């Protein structure tokens, strides 16, 4: 019944003392457990002897029996030494620590093929022991992930374990992990062997566990059974007092709310709540603590919360990373302290948390009132923006399911809330205001899964790297994230990116209230020809396909609207309808009375015709039945949006706003359909001429050269550029054939090169300052014989300052076609990104490049080719012959697979790639490699350590 494995205590296998690597600090990690609590995994050292003895004393006799296959009531001194002295290579032990106490351990010992202790074997025997009180929290599963990663780092490829058959829980830990395994039963013992190489199933299992744990941790923060505010004062204007009032105003009768002030005299009460001098004095449990004390008093408050068993903290106190390096150190110490005690942190410098669930409402924020209940989950990184978001929701009459403004985002992040909202039935649309990414690759993965079922709409602030807000916990690799890369992440994840807070709510409101459009064909119906034309033009600009507007004239009645909307909605060639409306001339805000033009505030006139509102509300019901969205664009109709609100008809005070929101909905719906189809049909094809071992061998050899070793010591860990011949050889291992280029330092060398390659040839400069610059006259084409070649060589020699300086080469002439550029770059924060564009200055100046994350499927590379604005040149523009896009897509797949298979490849640049009507020619290639992989999303689960 415990999480333990492996047989009886053995003799110490040739202790090598403390030789070997230094303490592996990078093995330490904070983790989330299944119930949302936190813990720390770290190596066990000799200083842990007392902790180990205390831990073992808390383990039941049955768990000890399962661990050692015999009664083993206590550890001897020799046992304690053996289990605390390790070389961190052949013998490794890790512990899970909460509040400085062990709750679980794991150990592996390297063995040879006969099961004997070894220093050279690639197998290891592994054993777990989990304290009974913490079994069922996913501790052993997390330990297995981490010890497997450690073992692989030390050259171990397979674990072996022996488990008693009745120890079903431990057997389940191994079998559920998803590794490739073998199982046998001998002498009453289950023998398990499993390879440590990640499989698709083990990765899926790990991410599913990550999802459950992170969602649970947020749920615990939003649904506490009791709350304490630390830092409540008599002054009603202080932050702590305001939060106490907000909590009391939102709390149900069953949730205790406590106030804490270290200096409060005994018997003090505020707002009807007794004030305690310490959290430790509170008689009952506290799930959530809001800390609003001066920065210097925060560590003591956190320590008391940990000792009292608090589960989560909202730290509104400022003075941390936003103030500079010293503040960042204090922030890291705060997070370490909280996690060590099993607590998660919102903040510091946070605005707070809100949950509108009527059964357990929570307003642990600086918002003066609880928003109305609704389907919007809102996350932001700025208190000021948080206020604006809540105010906008209130003004529009939109409800919120939950809200978080996390300030410096030192621990709980947007990724955690995305995990929670994926499970929360009350959340229908997710709205995010982001200024930075802590883990962009993980964000993309989580957001893509969520966007498949719920819209995710994002405003991204700090678009330029120089404007990154101070205080945000962002890895150095993510500070330079290009905005084009962010766009690619959002596009592939199905995230809807908008430019403003207004557009955020416009889009979110339409998505929440109306069905997703089945296509991009739009009908425009209304009582203003001019407003209809503006809407029509806006649709064209947004990439929609509008029909000619139907003008009902300014004298249109509600009945006219009703008939026209019915006709538009019933038309099978219409996917969405935009109704446009202005006040009817002479009977509304535009009417003249007594020689003056009345306005919407005129007490004698209304600002709309109620019959038009009724017609729109009736049409909205039919639109939902037909699965077609209906929206309103209006001018000067202040009452109409209010009339339409109960029926869920979005109303926008400008046609451009209505069209932008609808266009976002159309593109999102298209992404949903493509994604659903891709799950059934998209694939990464099996390509011929793939030699992964050969490519790996070439890269390893290149990284072991003296030049490469020297480059590792350069600032930034310099990436190494392969010589042209080396790049061609590496690319050829993946069926990527680059036209050879032979050096031509003088005329004779050029003639010999042409004779080798065969005429016709091209002569071009390849010096870095001249590469890909035909505008400088550095290329001569269609050289069909020796005289022309010699003449071209003399011209370039004179023009470019010498053949040697220009690095002239001779290359076989490629067939005519469209020049393109293909690239793959490994962004340390995001992973590998595949890029495509047309070659030439215009495309470069306009940034006409499309991106996809690697590995790319066949459907994704097809979309990549067609996404660039200059794509018509590939498909027979103006009567030209279409080129071989099939060959182009296959090349993109080969590049994608190469950088995915060989993580040491830092970048691949193919330019130009001439795509002809039949086939293509790669005329230039550059490959850069790096000593270590720069992708880290496949390792064991661990919380950010920023």
């Amino acid at each position: 019944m415990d999480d333990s494995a492996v047989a009886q205590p053995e003799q110490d296998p040739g202790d090598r003392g403390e030789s070997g690597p230094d303490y592996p600090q990078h093995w330490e990690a904070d983790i989330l457990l299944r119930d949302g609590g936190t813990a720390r995994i770290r190596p066990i050292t000799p200083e842990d002897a007392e902790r180990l003895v205390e831990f073992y004393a808390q383990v039941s006799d049955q768990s000890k029996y399962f661990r050692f296959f015999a009664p083993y009531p206590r550890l001897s001194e020799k046992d304690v030494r053996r289990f605390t002295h390790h070389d961190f290579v052949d013998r490794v032990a890790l512990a899970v620590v909460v509040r400085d106490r062990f709750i679980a351990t794991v150990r592996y010992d390297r063995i040879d093929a006969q099961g004997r202790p070894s220093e050279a074997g690639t197998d290891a025997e592994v054993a777990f022991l989990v304290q009974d009180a913490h079994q069922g929290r996913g501790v052993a599963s997390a330990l297995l992930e981490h010890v497997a990663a450690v073992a692989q780092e030390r050259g171990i490829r397979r674990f072996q374990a022996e488990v008693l058959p009745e120890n079903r829980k431990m057997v389940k830990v191994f079998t559920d992990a998803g590794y490739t395994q073998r199982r046998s039963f001998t002498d009453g013992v289950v023998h398990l062997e499993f390879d440590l190489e990640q499989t698709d199933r083990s990765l899926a299992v790990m991410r599913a566990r990550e999802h459950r744990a992170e969602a649970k941790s947020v749920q615990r923060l939003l649904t506490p059974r009791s709350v304490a505010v630390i830092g409540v004062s008599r002054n009603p204007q202080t932050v702590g007092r305001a939060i106490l009032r907000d909590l009391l105003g939102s709390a149900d009768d069953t949730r205790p709310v406590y106030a804490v002030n270290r200096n409060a005299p005994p018997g003090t009460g505020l707002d009807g709540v007794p004030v305690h001098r310490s959290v430790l004095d509170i008689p009952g449990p506290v799930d959530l603590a809001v800390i609003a004390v001066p920065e210097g008093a925060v560590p003591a408050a956190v320590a008391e919360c940990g000792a009292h068993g608090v589960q989560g903290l909202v730290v509104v106190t400022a003075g941390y990373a936003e103030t500079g390096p010293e503040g960042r150190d204090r922030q890291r110490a705060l997070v370490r302290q909280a996690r060590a005690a099993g607590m998660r942190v919102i903040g510091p410098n946070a605005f707070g948390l809100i949950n509108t669930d009527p059964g357990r409402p929570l307003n642990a924020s600086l918002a003066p009132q609880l928003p109305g209940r609704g389907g919007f989950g809102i996350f932001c990184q700025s208190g000021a923006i948080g206020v604006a978001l809540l105010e906008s929701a209130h003004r529009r009459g939109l409800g919120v399911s939950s809200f978080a403004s996390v300030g410096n985002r030192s621990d709980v992040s947007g990724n955690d809330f995305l995990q929670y909202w994926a499970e929360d039935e009350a959340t229908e649309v997710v709205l995010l205001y982001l200024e930075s990414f802590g883990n962009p690759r993980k964000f993309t993965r989580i957001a893509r899964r969520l966007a498949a079922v719920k819209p995710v709409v994002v405003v991204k602030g700090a678009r330029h790297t120089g404007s990154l807000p101070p205080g945000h916990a962002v890895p150095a690799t993510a500070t330079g994230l290009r905005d084009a890369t962010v766009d690619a992440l959002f596009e592939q994840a199905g995230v809807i990116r908008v430019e403003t807070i207004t557009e955020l709510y416009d889009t979110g409101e339409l998505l929440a209230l109306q069905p997703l459009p089945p296509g991009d064909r739009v009908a425009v119906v209304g009582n203003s020809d001019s407003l209809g034309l503006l809407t029509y033009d806006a649709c064209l600009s947004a990439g929609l396909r509008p029909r000619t507007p139907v003008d009902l004239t300014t004298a249109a009645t509600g009945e006219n609207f009703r008939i026209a909307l019915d006709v538009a909605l019933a038309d099978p060639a219409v996917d969405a309808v935009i109704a446009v409306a202005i006040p009817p001339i002479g009977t509304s805000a535009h009417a003249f009375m007594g020689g003056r033009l009345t306005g919407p505030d005129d007490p004698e006139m209304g600002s709309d015709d109620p019959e038009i509102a009724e017609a729109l509300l009736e049409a909205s019901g039919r639109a939902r039945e037909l699965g077609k969205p209906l929206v309103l664009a209006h001018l000067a109709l202040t009452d109409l949006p209010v009339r339409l609100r109960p029926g869920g008809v979005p109303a926008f005070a400008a046609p451009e706003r209505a069209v932008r929101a609808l266009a976002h909905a159309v593109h999102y719906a298209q992404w949903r359909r493509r994604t659903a189809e891709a799950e059934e049909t998209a694939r990464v094809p099996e390509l011929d001429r793939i030699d992964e071992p050969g490519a790996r061998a070439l890269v390893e050899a290149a990284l072991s050269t003296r030049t490469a070793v020297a480059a590792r010591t350069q600032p930034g860990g310099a990436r190494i550029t392969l010589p042209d011949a080396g790049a061609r050889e590496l690319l050829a291992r993946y069926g990527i054939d680059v036209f050879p280029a032979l050096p031509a330092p003088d005329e004779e060398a050029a003639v010999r090169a042409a004779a080798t390659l065969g005429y016709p040839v091209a002569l071009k400069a390849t010096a870095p300052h001249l590469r890909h610059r035909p505008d400088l006259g550095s290329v001569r084409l269609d050289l069909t014989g020796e005289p022309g070649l010699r003449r071209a060589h003399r011209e370039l020699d004179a023009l470019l300052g010498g053949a040697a300086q220009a690095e002239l080469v001779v290359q076989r002439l490629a067939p005519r076609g469209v020049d393109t550029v293909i690239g793959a770059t490994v962004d340390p924060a995001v992973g590998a990104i595949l890029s495509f564009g047309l070659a030439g200055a215009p495309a470069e100046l306009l940034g006409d490049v499309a991106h996809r994350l690697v590995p790319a499927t066949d459907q994704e590379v097809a979309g990549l080719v067609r996404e660039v604005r200059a794509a018509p040149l590939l498909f027979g523009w103006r009567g030209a012959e279409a080129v071989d896009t099939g060959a182009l897509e296959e090349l993109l797949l080969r590049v994608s697979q190469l950088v995915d298979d060989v993580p040491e490849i830092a970048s691949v640049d193919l330019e130009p790639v001439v795509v002809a009507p039949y086939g293509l020619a790669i005329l230039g290639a550059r490959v850069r490699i790096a000593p270590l992989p720069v992708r880290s999303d496949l390792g064991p689960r661990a919380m950010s350590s920023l």
Side-chain angles (χ1 to χ4, degrees):
M1 296 289 292
D2 82 321
D3 296 342
S4 55
V6 173
Q8 311 153 25
E10 319 98 12
Q11 296 296 314
D12 198 324
D15 194 338
R16 289 191 295 173
E18 299 307 308
S19 61
D22 295 331
Y23 178 81
Q25 184 76 34
H26 64 287
W27 291 354
E28 294 192 4
D30 293 322
I31 60 169
L32 268 178
L33 302 177
R34 182 180 299 154
D35 59 3
T38 64
R40 187 163 185 81
I41 290 180
R42 65 169 177 82
I44 296 176
T45 67
E47 289 74 23
D48 292 317
E50 290 185 9
R51 292 186 185 88
L52 182 67
V53 172
E54 179 187 17
F55 157 74
Y56 195 76
Q58 300 298 316
V59 176
S60 69
D61 290 340
Q62 184 185 52
S63 293
K64 293 172 183 175
Y65 183 87
F66 283 160
R67 168 63 176 86
F68 294 115
F69 293 11
Y72 213 80
R74 65 186 60 84
L75 297 175
S76 67
E77 290 186 10
K78 186 174 182 180
D79 291 332
V80 172
R81 175 176 174 78
R82 177 172 178 270
F83 291 135
T84 56
H85 288 67
H86 309 93
D87 60 11
F88 304 128
V89 179
D90 302 326
R91 290 174 291 105
V92 171
L94 305 178
V96 180
V97 186
V98 175
R99 298 187 182 93
D100 203 34
R101 295 179 177 177
F102 287 2
I103 65 169
T105 63
V106 64
R107 173 184 167 112
Y108 81 67
D109 293 84
R110 190 189 300 265
I111 57 176
D112 61 17
Q114 287 72 44
R116 297 171 302 199
S118 170
E119 297 180 9
T122 58
D123 282 21
E125 194 173 38
V126 66
F128 294 77
L129 186 59
V130 179
Q131 220 169 63
D132 295 65
H134 295 278
Q135 292 174 20
R137 301 183 68 197
V139 177
S141 299
L143 263 181
L144 177 57
E145 292 175 19
H146 282 263
V147 77
V150 166
Q152 284 187 291
E153 182 182 325
R154 296 310 192 206
I156 291 170
R157 298 291 174 258
R158 182 170 58 182
F159 273 163
Q160 298 184 24
E162 292 187 344
V163 188
L164 291 174
E166 57 267 36
N167 190 0
R168 297 182 182 87
K169 188 177 288 188
M170 194 66 235
V171 173
K172 184 174 174 59
V173 168
F174 290 125
T175 57
D176 287 354
Y179 296 105
T180 301
Q181 60 180 265
R182 291 159 293 281
R183 184 172 175 176
S184 59
F185 184 78
T186 307
D187 298 329
V189 174
V190 178
H191 183 80
L192 295 167
E193 296 182 3
F194 50 97
D195 299 332
L196 301 184
E197 187 72 26
Q198 284 278 16
T199 66
D200 290 343
R201 181 167 176 264
S202 68
L203 191 60
V205 168
M206 182 176 69
R207 288 177 172 171
R209 289 170 173 166
E210 172 191 70
H211 168 73
R212 289 193 297 269
E214 291 176 355
K216 183 65 176 179
S217 72
V218 171
Q219 183 188 41
R220 295 206 314 180
L221 291 167
L222 289 170
T223 57
R225 294 164 297 179
S226 55
V227 185
V229 183
I230 304 172
V232 174
S233 123
R234 292 182 181 276
N235 183 350
Q237 304 303 317
T238 58
V239 170
R241 186 71 176 277
I243 292 176
L244 178 64
R245 287 196 301 271
D246 296 341
L247 273 168
L248 292 171
S250 69
D252 57 29
D253 296 334
T254 63
R255 176 191 291 139
V257 175
Y258 304 103
V260 177
N261 185 312
R262 187 171 297 279
N263 300 315
T268 302
L270 291 173
D271 297 320
V273 175
V275 181
H276 302 273
R277 295 174 64 89
S278 166
V279 172
L280 297 174
D281 296 336
I282 295 175
V286 175
D287 288 346
L288 179 69
V290 182
I291 297 180
V293 299
E295 178 274 320
V298 170
V302 173
E304 292 178 355
C305 287
H308 196 65
V310 173
Q311 296 179 352
L313 305 174
V314 176
V315 182
V316 299
T317 304
Y320 287 87
E322 76 276 9
T323 65
E326 292 183 1
R328 182 172 293 280
D329 290 341
R330 290 194 297 272
Q331 182 168 297
R332 288 170 175 159
L334 163 66
V335 174
R336 285 196 300 269
Q337 183 185 13
R339 288 178 177 173
M343 299 181 292
R344 298 218 68 182
V345 179
I346 297 284
N349 195 23
F351 184 79
L353 285 175
I354 292 175
N355 181 9
T356 64
D357 185 342
R360 43 192 174 179
L362 174 74
N363 185 7
S365 77
L366 295 169
Q369 63 183 14
L370 196 69
R373 180 67 168 169
F376 286 99
I378 302 175
F379 176 90
C380 65
Q381 297 173 334
S382 161
I385 297 296
V387 172
L389 290 171
L390 291 174
E391 191 278 333
S392 294
H394 176 73
R395 179 166 39 84
R396 290 172 178 251
L398 300 175
V400 174
S401 62
S402 50
F403 166 90
S405 179
V406 299
N408 291 4
R409 190 178 47 76
S410 64
D411 178 26
V412 177
S413 71
N415 288 344
D416 296 299
F417 275 87
L418 291 179
Q419 302 275 37
Y420 169 74
W421 283 322
E423 301 296 322
D424 181 35
E425 294 181 358
T427 300
E428 299 170 352
V429 179
V430 171
L431 305 182
L432 306 176
Y433 171 76
L434 302 179
E435 293 173 343
S436 61
F437 291 98
N439 188 337
R441 191 174 179 87
K442 181 177 177 181
F443 170 86
T444 305
R445 170 168 52 85
I446 297 172
R448 182 181 177 89
R449 185 180 66 243
L450 175 58
V453 292
K454 299 179 183 181
V456 179
V457 191
V458 176
V459 173
K460 174 65 170 67
R463 297 171 70 104
H464 307 287
T465 55
S467 61
L468 185 68
H472 282 221
V474 177
T477 55
T479 56
L481 202 60
R482 297 180 303 163
D483 203 52
T485 302
V486 174
D487 275 336
L489 294 180
F490 287 162
E491 173 68 25
Q492 200 150 352
V495 171
I496 303 166
R497 183 173 188 173
V498 298
E499 301 299 321
T500 65
I501 297 298
T502 299
E503 191 178 354
L504 180 78
Y505 267 114
D506 286 348
T507 305
E509 182 177 2
L510 190 153
L511 290 166
L513 301 179
Q514 293 291 312
L516 289 178
D520 59 359
R521 301 167 300 177
V522 181
V524 181
V525 176
N527 64 356
S528 169
D529 181 50
S530 297
L531 193 57
L533 289 175
L534 288 173
T535 305
Y536 178 87
D537 290 342
C539 286
L540 290 175
S541 298
L544 303 178
R545 293 189 290 165
R547 302 180 65 181
T548 302
V550 176
D551 179 24
L552 304 177
T553 77
T554 56
T557 64
E559 183 63 21
N560 297 141
F561 267 90
R562 182 178 293 105
I563 294 171
L565 291 171
D566 278 347
V567 171
L569 288 168
D571 190 338
V574 170
D575 300 311
V577 176
I578 301 178
V580 297
I582 63 171
I585 298 297
T587 58
S588 74
H590 287 160
F592 278 96
M593 294 185 61
R596 61 187 175 84
L597 180 66
T598 65
D601 297 326
D602 194 302
E604 300 181 56
M605 300 299 295
S607 67
D608 64 69
D609 183 347
E611 291 186 3
I612 294 178
E614 292 176 8
L616 286 166
L617 289 171
E618 289 182 19
S620 178
R622 290 190 294 275
R624 286 191 179 85
E625 293 173 1
L626 295 168
K628 299 179 180 182
L630 170 65
V631 301
L632 171 70
H634 69 92
L635 294 179
L637 294 174
T638 56
D639 293 343
L640 186 56
V642 178
R643 295 182 190 274
L644 297 177
R645 191 173 292 166
V649 180
F652 304 103
E656 297 79 12
R657 287 174 54 190
V659 169
R660 279 197 299 267
L662 179 60
H664 286 310
V666 167
H667 297 150
Y668 170 65
Q670 290 171 340
W671 178 87
R672 286 265 295 256
R673 289 191 292 270
R674 287 197 308 270
T675 302
E677 180 184 351
E679 290 180 356
E680 301 295 330
T681 61
R683 60 193 182 91
V684 178
E686 292 283 341
L687 300 170
D688 60 356
R689 299 178 59 202
I690 300 295
D691 180 11
E692 182 180 342
R696 288 184 177 275
L698 289 173
V699 169
E700 290 174 4
L703 288 173
S704 65
T705 64
R706 183 177 302 176
T707 302
V709 173
R712 299 184 195 187
T713 64
Q714 300 302 312
R719 295 180 174 185
I720 303 136
T721 301
L722 294 180
D724 289 347
R728 286 197 300 272
E729 185 179 6
L730 174 61
L731 292 169
R733 301 286 183 176
Y734 272 69
I736 303 170
D737 298 319
V738 182
F739 271 33
L742 302 181
D746 53 50
E747 283 187 36
E748 300 306 322
V751 171
R752 290 193 299 272
T756 301
L757 297 173
Y759 289 99
V761 296
L763 181 69
K764 63 182 183 181
T766 60
H769 65 290
L770 299 171
R771 190 185 292 259
H772 311 310
R773 292 296 307 275
D775 55 305
L776 299 179
S778 59
V779 179
R780 294 293 186 271
L781 302 175
D782 291 318
L783 303 175
T784 59
E786 181 177 333
L789 176 59
R790 288 183 180 275
R791 181 170 58 254
H793 195 283
R794 289 192 295 270
E795 291 173 357
L796 291 183
D797 183 78
L799 177 66
L800 303 176
Q805 181 176 343
E807 299 181 22
L808 295 181
V809 299
V810 174
Q811 197 168 41
R812 182 162 54 88
L813 193 67
R816 295 189 181 278
V818 179
D819 289 2
T820 64
V821 180
I822 291 174
T825 302
V826 178
D827 186 303
V830 178
I833 299 173
L834 185 67
S835 303
F836 170 76
L838 268 63
E844 186 175 342
L845 286 171
L846 295 173
D848 190 15
V849 180
H851 308 276
R852 291 292 186 275
L853 295 180
V854 167
T857 67
D858 53 354
Q859 293 185 14
E860 286 170 339
V861 299
L864 186 68
V865 168
R866 290 156 179 79
E867 187 173 307
V868 295
R869 283 170 285 177
L873 293 173
L874 301 169
F875 297 94
W877 188 61
R878 287 189 174 181
E881 189 174 4
V883 300
D884 192 349
T885 53
L888 179 61
E889 292 167 14
E890 180 181 322
L891 176 58
L892 285 162
L893 287 168
R894 290 183 182 276
V895 173
S896 170
Q897 186 169 341
L898 172 62
V899 296
D900 191 49
D901 288 347
V902 187
E904 293 85 358
I905 294 179
S907 67
V908 174
D909 295 293
L910 307 180
E911 183 181 4
V913 178
V914 182
V915 190
Y918 301 97
L920 54 76
I922 305 170
L923 303 185
R926 185 178 69 164
V927 177
R928 303 177 76 188
I929 58 176
L932 295 174
V934 291
R935 282 162 275 181
S936 59
D937 195 41
L938 302 181
R941 288 173 288 157
M943 303 169 73
S944 170
S945 58
L946 298 173

